[in-house]
Amino acid sequence: MLQTLLVDDDILSLNKMQTFLADLEFIHVCGQLLDGTGAIEYLNAHGDSIDIVILDMEMPGASGLEVARFISKHQLPITILVISNYDNFEYVKPILQAGAYDYLLKHELSRTLLETKLSEIRLYIDKQQLHQKQWDQMCQLSKQQYLRNLVLNYDIPDENRHFFASDPLLCGRRHVAACLQITNFSSIYQSIPDERHQKVVNTVLHFCDTFFTSLQRGIITHINYGEFLVLLSFPDLTSEAAILQTASQDISLLKNNLRRYLSIHTFAESMPVFDSVEHLRPYYLKIHHRLQVKPFNSDSERPAEKEGNSVLLLSLQEENELSESLLHLNEKKVTEIVTHILIQSDRRTSLFLDFSASSCV
């Protein structure tokens, strides 16, 4: 339902409009005010929740034109319908220029006319919301691509750099970034048809976008092969300890939600606090390398050796190379990789046994 505010200093006119609107299922009258000053105060407190203002031109205190200018100045997502006593376009022209959608004459006002105009406004609002949603999606994709190009050192046109330098999420804030890696992604990737590969990535991106929208401080982009870059921005925190603690909580909650709702297990490596996204690449390279060589399995993040047991766990890089070789039936490469892994495993075991023996002595 469209939340509608009625503003008119004529109480009879207010009651008349309320009666006309009572039967419209898509309209909810959320308030009635008798002067423009009260309307501005109301909009200052509740403007983000109002869809339509039906507004008289001449009122005590602030005029209808001043109310319209307040709405325009503060960029409130409100559609204004003007009610005028005067059948003179020049009289209402200033308020239309200030952003009002249209006007109706009081002496011609009827239930049918008001319903027709509000139905037209409803279609207009639906179209505006659709355009805004499409614009937001396009901006989100552009920011994701910009971050990916930045950390992978791809060419970025100067105009793009200038554009994103003014983005509220990317400038004037302190940031923490993290790499998020889907556990055993190569196994998952090769167990599904080719046409579903991108769907896995898109599902994670969409889920995380929704999560970060609720936080109002994050953005995620897919780098490659199940690895995602997460950028968290903190405009209000100055303490590095507080920023790192909040970022750690955000990443932990995200990982838990991915596991809970999508059954996707992930690992993460975080960066220090930094001030400009232009400094992102060196930090990314360090944590990307740590992810590539980090031993892991699909159940939990645990070290390769625990309580005296030497456990053979492949790193992400080893798993990817082995999976690709098996997929392409490259017997020679498979043999080389497996031999290398077994040699490394023997070295780990030998080092562990040497250390245990020296400890006993």
Side-chain angles (χ1 to χ4, degrees):
M1 297 180 73
L2 298 177
Q3 302 300 312
T4 304
L5 178 66
L6 307 181
V7 187
D8 194 334
D9 63 326
D10 184 347
I11 188 66
L12 295 178
S13 178
L14 273 180
N15 291 337
K16 182 180 179 181
M17 286 191 289
Q18 174 68 48
T19 301
F20 289 165
L21 298 175
D23 297 330
L24 292 184
E25 295 181 353
F26 62 91
I27 294 291
H28 174 254
V29 177
C30 58
Q32 301 181 48
L33 298 170
L34 292 168
D35 64 87
T37 303
I40 289 176
E41 292 174 355
Y42 187 93
L43 292 171
N44 193 44
H46 309 289
D48 289 337
S49 63
I50 305 297
D51 299 301
I52 299 172
V53 172
I54 300 179
L55 184 63
D56 189 17
M57 280 288 293
E58 293 293 334
M59 295 178 293
S63 66
L65 178 58
E66 289 175 285
V67 175
R69 286 174 174 166
F70 174 86
I71 292 172
S72 177
K73 178 181 178 181
H74 292 82
Q75 298 182 332
L76 298 176
I78 294 173
T79 303
I80 302 170
L81 178 62
V82 178
I83 306 296
S84 174
N85 281 313
Y86 303 100
D87 188 5
N88 184 336
F89 179 74
E90 291 301 319
Y91 178 69
V92 297
K93 184 177 178 180
I95 198 170
L96 295 177
Q97 291 174 332
Y101 176 80
D102 204 351
Y103 73 98
L104 298 175
L105 298 175
K106 273 192 178 183
H107 64 272
E108 293 181 352
L109 200 61
S110 66
R111 186 190 304 271
T112 300
L113 180 61
L114 191 57
E115 180 178 354
T116 299
K117 183 57 64 175
L118 289 173
S119 296
E120 180 183 315
I121 289 175
R122 178 175 63 166
L123 293 177
Y124 168 78
I125 291 175
D126 288 344
K127 186 179 293 186
Q128 291 294 104
Q129 290 176 343
L130 177 59
H131 288 168
Q132 185 62 49
K133 183 177 180 180
Q134 292 171 338
W135 171 254
D136 291 342
Q137 289 174 342
M138 185 178 70
C139 289
Q140 185 75 354
L141 290 173
S142 297
K143 283 187 279 192
Q144 289 173 345
Q145 188 63 45
Y146 170 70
L147 289 177
R148 186 173 189 272
N149 291 345
L150 199 63
V151 298
L152 295 180
N153 204 28
Y154 293 164
D155 288 337
I156 301 175
D158 289 340
E159 58 268 25
N160 287 7
R161 288 184 182 273
H162 294 321
F163 175 79
F164 288 111
S166 62
D167 186 276
L169 185 65
L170 302 177
C171 72
R173 301 183 176 205
R174 308 203 76 189
H175 309 280
V176 172
C179 280
L180 199 69
Q181 174 67 55
I182 297 179
T183 304
N184 291 347
F185 181 77
S186 57
S187 301
I188 299 172
Y189 204 68
Q190 292 170 21
S191 66
I192 60 177
D194 291 347
E195 61 271 15
R196 292 188 59 195
H197 289 175
Q198 189 58 40
K199 289 184 179 180
V200 174
V201 171
N202 289 343
T203 298
V204 174
L205 286 174
H206 179 71
F207 182 89
C208 294
D209 280 341
T210 304
F211 175 80
F212 288 130
T213 298
S214 66
L215 292 181
Q216 296 184 332
R217 60 169 169 262
I219 185 173
I220 185 170
T221 186
H222 182 233
I223 302 301
N224 195 27
Y225 220 68
E227 179 187 319
F228 298 82
L229 177 73
V230 174
L231 179 70
L232 297 170
S233 303
F234 300 89
D236 303 318
L237 295 179
T238 56
S239 165
E240 286 200 10
I243 291 172
L244 290 172
Q245 181 181 8
T246 305
S248 177
Q249 292 170 349
D250 290 346
I251 296 298
S252 179
L253 182 59
L254 176 61
K255 290 170 58 181
N256 290 337
N257 285 338
L258 285 169
R259 183 172 63 250
R260 178 179 179 183
Y261 296 107
L262 299 182
S263 298
I264 290 177
H265 296 256
T266 55
F267 286 84
E269 289 281 352
S270 296
M271 305 180 191
V273 178
F274 58 95
D275 294 325
S276 172
V277 293
E278 293 292 330
H279 302 152
L280 189 53
R281 177 170 163 78
Y283 292 119
Y284 164 75
L285 292 176
K286 290 180 181 179
I287 62 174
H288 169 76
H289 177 71
R290 290 207 299 266
L291 276 180
Q292 292 295 308
V293 300
K294 183 176 184 178
F296 65 91
N297 64 19
S298 60
D299 297 321
S300 63
E301 296 184 37
R302 63 176 182 242
E305 295 178 3
K306 184 178 181 181
E307 297 179 356
N309 296 319
S310 178
V311 182
L312 176 59
L313 298 176
L314 304 186
S315 71
L316 176 65
Q317 184 173 342
E318 290 169 338
E319 182 189 307
N320 290 343
E321 290 177 354
L322 182 58
S323 298
E324 286 292 328
S325 301
L326 288 170
L327 182 66
H328 295 93
L329 302 178
N330 188 338
E331 183 178 350
K332 180 180 178 181
K333 186 64 174 176
V334 170
T335 302
E336 289 177 0
I337 294 171
V338 172
T339 301
H340 174 73
I341 292 171
L342 292 176
I343 291 173
Q344 291 297 107
S345 177
D346 288 341
R347 287 177 180 171
R348 292 173 194 163
T349 304
S350 176
L351 287 171
F352 174 73
L353 291 175
D354 290 344
F355 174 78
S356 299
S358 63
S359 298
C360 293
V361 174

